[in-house]
Each structure stands twice: as structure tokens, then as C-alpha cells.
Amino acid sequence: MNATTIKTPSSSNITPAVAARYWQATLARDRRADGSFVLAVRSTHIYCRPSCPARRPLRRNVTFFRTREEAERQGYRACLRCRPNEIAASVALVQRAAVHLAGGNEEAVRLGPLAEDLGVTEATLRRAFLQITGLTPRQLAEALRIQRFKKMLRAGSKITDALYETGFGSSSRVYERSNAQLGMTPATYQKGGKGMKLGYAIAKSPVGKVLVAATDRGVSAVYLGEAETALVSELRKEYPLAEIAEAPDTYQRWVREIVQRTEGKPPQADLPLDLQATAFQRRVWQELQRIPLGSTRTYSQVARALGKPRAVRAVAKACATNPVSIVVPCHRVVRSDGNLAGYRWGLARKQHLLDQERRASATA
Ligand SMILES: [Zn+2]
């Protein structure tokens, strides 16, 4: 790639709203945003991570990319101060170390031999661990003693997903970063919603009754159906340990926004989410939120967009387990033969939602 030509002025599928958020993170030099995007400076042909200590460029010279690969494909070079290209190398190193640790049975981890096995210095290994996981290798080794974690890694899960799953990431960079990236609050709840206080309201919509359940931090469930009692019992089944109460007025703004979206209207306001989810589910759901109104994607297209072309079935499963229909528009995912595939709330509703959105976007 010719390093001096910059081809397109703006990056693919980054909306002005997202770009505005990225710019805020850039101005704040927000470390939590590192890894979720890079900023490329047209006047210097350099790209940086959001937290780069260098002087902020002018907004009009900045293009955002979700990945450093995209920036490099457009001819930008990595900044020598913030070294945005090193994150990937650290991830790979930590991944390799984790496989080592997961296979071993030692009581205590000896950093020296581990680094030697991996062909790096102790300092490099420690820095990579802190950067990627927020844990020292020793702390990670403790985590690895937990059976589930070990099993997940052996089954091929990514270290970041496994950290997330077992809750070990709760104090880690990875966790913060994923969180910042997704606009979702951390899943601090235990299974079953223990410790969660959920209020719900039921409203009418063009696709039947819509139940919206939320905590103070965001929306936790959006269900569609006919009978109110069935919707409420579905909610209790999903969160058997949560404190659940009817709260018709508390979350009015969110309910109104969701009902409008069931009418095929474009989003008017951001909807914060407060969910329990694995890292993979979060990635899929975020990808679904990028499908524009009036369009659909196939499961394979979503898998490819996530950089995991073979994870089609896992994507389908994440769609099927989406707890916040409409807000995460899983109804916009269809089979590659054009068939609608399934929908938790019935195919008729899926069809209706898609028809409405197509009409709305055609007249917009
Ligand atoms: Zn930089």
C-alpha cells in the first residue's frame, strides 16, 4: 500500500454520532477507549490511540477507524509515541501465555521461565498482561485455578471472553474497554439477576404489547406479546432472583423511545442498557445496532463483520438470546436465502417490524 495516498476521507460505517463520541474520548485522552478505535490525522498521515499524549489535532483533520488495520489500509502509519499497533501484539502474547498457564498445574507461577518459554523478557510479559487484562501474570494464574476458566480456554475461548465470563475482568482494562466500547454498564449481577432491582412498564405498540424492564442504569429487557401476565412471567423467569416491581412512570422516556422504534421510526435518543452478557454476545449485539433502519443482514454477514466468519451459528445464538428486542434490532437479521429465520416474539412480528422500517426509510 502506498503510504502517501489517503484514499477515502471518512471511515466506513462510523456515524456522525459515533464520531462525536470518539472525538470526546480523544479530547479526554480516555484510556478506556483505547482499542475500540484509532484516530487518523490527515495532515500527518499518522494514526494514534485515543489516549495518545501528543497534542490534539484539529477536528477537521481527523478520521476515525474502528481498527488499526483499516487505518493502515488507508495508508496511515502508527504513531511512534502511543504505539497503537502494539495492542494487537500484546493480545497475542497474553493469549499464548494464558494457554501455557491453563495447561500447567504449578501452584505458583514463575514469571522467568514462562517468559523464556514464550521468547520474551519478563518486563515485556508483565507489561503486556497489565495492558491487556489489568492483571499481573500471578493474578491471572490464580484466576486460572478456577475450573470454569480453564475449561473455557481449553475449549478455545479467547482470553478476554474468558475473563469476562468468569468475572475476573471486573477490575481489568479489558473489561473497562469493552464497556466503554459498547455503551453498556458492567454486568455486576450474578446469574438470575441477584441484587438487581427491576422496574417494568407495559405499553401498546403496533406489534402488540411491549414490556420494558429497566434498572436505574439502563434497559434490561424488552419483550413483545399479547398477554401482560405472560410477559411478566417471562421476565420473572429470566431474572428469578431479581427484585421486580411494576413501575409505570419511572422509565417513561425509555418506554416512549422504544415504542417509537416499534413504529419504524429512527432512534431519537440513546438507550443505555444494563444487561448480563458474555463478551461475545455484547459484540454481536453492538454489531446489530449498526444495521441501518430499513436494511437487513444475514447471520454470515454479521459474523464476517465481527471478523469471525465461521461463527455463524454462535451469532445466530446470540441473536436468539437478545433480551432487548427492538433496542438491539435482532429482527434485522435474516437467513441468506432471504428467509426470515426465527424470532423469539414470532415471525409475524418480525415481518411487520421489517415492513414498517422499510417503508419508513423509503419515505425518509
Ligand atoms: Zn500517538
Side-chain angles (χ1 to χ4, degrees):
M1 172 98 0
N2 184 342
T4 56
T5 51
I6 304 298
K7 279 180 186 145
T8 49
S10 66
S11 161
S12 57
N13 73 28
I14 290 181
T15 63
V18 170
R21 228 168 47 228
Y22 286 175
W23 180 241
Q24 282 309 313
T26 302
L27 290 177
R29 293 192 170 82
D30 189 348
R31 285 193 156 278
R32 291 170 306 174
D34 285 358
S36 56
F37 70 91
V38 299
L39 58 131
V41 185
R42 276 197 284 275
S43 46
T44 57
H45 294 188
I46 297 284
Y47 73 92
C48 287
R49 58 176 89 183
S51 69
C52 181
R55 209 163 57 89
R56 299 293 80 172
L58 291 175
R59 175 67 186 91
R60 62 182 149 85
N61 288 334
V62 171
T63 305
F64 295 107
F65 295 97
R66 291 196 200 275
T67 63
R68 67 186 180 91
E69 287 85 359
E70 281 176 84
E72 285 174 8
R73 271 200 300 275
Q74 298 297 328
Y76 291 97
R77 279 166 295 121
C79 167
L80 292 175
R81 271 187 84 175
C82 63
R83 300 182 185 279
N85 50 337
E86 280 184 6
I87 290 184
S90 298
V91 168
L93 179 58
V94 169
Q95 180 85 38
R96 277 165 58 219
V99 170
H100 251 260
L101 292 170
N105 291 310
E106 313 92 303
E107 272 305 296
V109 173
R110 299 207 321 276
L111 198 54
L114 178 61
E116 204 175 309
D117 278 348
L118 297 167
V120 295
T121 66
E122 276 186 44
T124 303
L125 185 60
R126 186 177 289 116
R127 204 171 46 235
F129 262 89
L130 277 174
Q131 185 184 19
I132 301 306
T133 69
L135 304 175
T136 64
R138 200 178 308 281
Q139 286 168 328
L140 183 80
E142 272 160 36
L144 287 165
R145 278 204 280 277
I146 291 180
Q147 214 46 39
R148 195 155 79 90
F149 195 89
K150 274 192 165 185
K151 255 192 352 225
M152 286 188 63
L153 287 176
R154 287 198 184 122
S157 293
K158 272 177 32 190
I159 175 83
T160 46
D161 292 5
L163 275 170
Y164 219 118
E165 279 277 354
T166 49
F168 261 93
S170 55
S171 60
S172 79
R173 281 274 192 71
V174 164
Y175 194 85
E176 284 175 24
R177 186 162 69 218
S178 320
N179 186 34
Q181 198 171 339
L182 293 162
M184 294 183 191
T185 46
T188 47
Y189 309 110
Q190 293 167 26
K191 283 262 178 281
K194 195 174 172 193
M196 224 173 165
K197 269 194 188 145
L198 279 170
Y200 72 85
I202 295 174
K204 280 194 200 131
S205 85
V207 282
K209 302 250 167 62
V210 48
L211 174 144
V212 177
T215 70
D216 292 339
R217 303 199 298 182
V219 177
S220 307
V222 178
Y223 298 164
L224 306 174
E226 284 313 320
E228 297 191 9
T229 47
L231 290 171
V232 175
S233 72
E234 191 88 10
L235 182 67
R236 292 193 192 280
K237 225 163 61 198
E238 188 99 29
Y239 297 100
L241 302 175
E243 236 177 83
I244 295 176
E246 196 171 0
D249 303 322
T250 321
Y251 306 113
Q252 262 190 31
R253 258 193 36 212
W254 293 342
V255 174
R256 213 177 312 131
E257 172 71 22
I258 289 165
V259 168
Q260 282 185 1
R261 293 191 196 181
T262 66
E263 293 163 357
K265 297 199 179 114
Q268 306 292 312
D270 270 348
L271 283 169
L273 297 176
D274 193 14
L275 302 169
Q276 314 177 85
T278 65
F280 184 73
Q281 282 174 318
R282 279 168 199 261
R283 284 185 62 203
V284 174
W285 297 341
Q286 190 190 32
E287 194 57 41
L288 301 189
Q289 289 186 311
R290 292 195 194 130
I291 306 174
L293 185 77
S295 321
T296 57
R297 296 280 183 277
T298 65
Y299 294 104
S300 347
Q301 282 172 328
V302 174
R304 270 203 303 276
L306 292 170
K308 296 192 164 195
R310 287 191 302 190
V312 177
R313 213 174 295 163
V315 165
K317 202 176 150 211
C319 293
T321 52
N322 166 27
V324 283
S325 50
I326 311 295
V327 184
V328 169
C330 60
H331 60 275
R332 294 182 196 153
V333 187
V334 298
R335 281 216 312 243
S336 36
D337 58 7
N339 193 303
L340 282 189
Y343 191 50
R344 183 173 170 187
W345 313 112
L347 283 181
R349 287 202 173 86
K350 185 170 183 171
Q351 185 72 65
H352 192 101
L353 288 166
L354 289 175
D355 288 347
Q356 261 184 165
E357 291 182 354
R358 223 167 276 141
R359 269 199 305 274
S361 66
T363 55

